[in-house]
Amino acid sequence: MSLRYCHHDSPVGPLLLAGDGASLRLLSFPTGHKAVAPQDGWQPDPTPFDAVRHHLDAYFSGQLRVFSVPLDIRGTDFQKKIWACLATIPYGETRSYGEIARALGSPGASRAVGAANGANPLPIILPCHRVIGSGGALTGFGGGLDTKTWLLQHEARIAGVAGRQLSLF
């Protein structure tokens, strides 16, 4: 079955949304090393994404903190475990790769957590931007570090988290 897709304007650029018509399978930023373009056979159709687009608009306007749209999450069992953990990071907060590894009972798996985080097909919705390096460093992000910084600052402002220090290295 071919995927349906649309682009949705956002403060971080036009987001690519793709899915099977009932569930969202992919959200991609327009920039960064993980940017995705529609593939041959995908059908342009914004209709199945009405709820997702509404949720994204509410998120970007500061009115939504948790997404509740149907998702078609595809990955390994380990990746799905990491991605489920991402969804538990509260809005306006961050966790390190090590903290996530420890929470999952695998304290030595920080790099594996990072790899799974980097393969997240649904950023923003499964908030991988909330994962940072130890010491607060902003490390890799599929949509680019400028986008990650914007998302973190947006959430900090809405959540009233004053003085968030972000470091890039």
Side-chain angles (χ1 to χ4, degrees):
M1 172 183 229
S2 74
L3 294 182
R4 296 178 184 176
Y5 76 94
C6 72
H7 287 93
H8 185 68
D9 288 333
S10 81
V12 295
L15 303 173
L16 173 65
L17 307 175
D20 63 8
S23 302
L24 183 67
R25 187 180 301 176
L26 173 77
L27 185 155
S28 180
F29 295 103
T31 59
H33 68 282
K34 296 281 186 170
V36 174
Q39 305 295 305
D40 289 340
W42 290 14
Q43 301 298 316
D45 182 3
T47 306
F49 306 104
D50 287 346
V52 175
R53 291 182 296 140
H54 175 75
H55 275 72
L56 287 166
D57 288 344
Y59 168 81
F60 284 116
S61 71
Q63 299 170 7
L64 181 87
R65 295 180 181 209
V66 177
F67 289 85
S68 60
V69 294
L71 304 175
D72 179 6
I73 302 172
R74 297 183 179 207
T76 67
D77 289 343
F78 179 76
Q79 288 172 326
K80 289 178 183 179
K81 190 174 173 182
I82 301 302
W83 299 335
C85 191
L86 297 178
T88 69
I89 303 171
Y91 183 96
E93 294 184 22
T94 58
R95 299 291 182 270
S96 72
Y97 297 99
E99 287 174 314
I100 291 174
R102 286 188 295 281
L104 294 172
S106 301
S110 296
R111 288 181 187 236
V113 167
N117 202 51
N120 177 10
L122 295 162
I124 300 176
I125 294 171
L126 300 176
C128 54
H129 62 278
R130 296 180 190 155
V131 182
I132 59 175
S134 61
L138 295 189
T139 57
F141 186 65
L145 289 179
D146 288 345
T147 300
K148 183 172 187 163
T149 300
W150 191 95
L151 292 168
L152 290 171
Q153 290 175 341
H154 166 70
E155 290 185 7
R157 186 181 74 254
I158 299 299
V161 180
R164 171 174 297 211
Q165 296 297 314
L166 302 175
S167 60
L168 301 172
F169 54 85

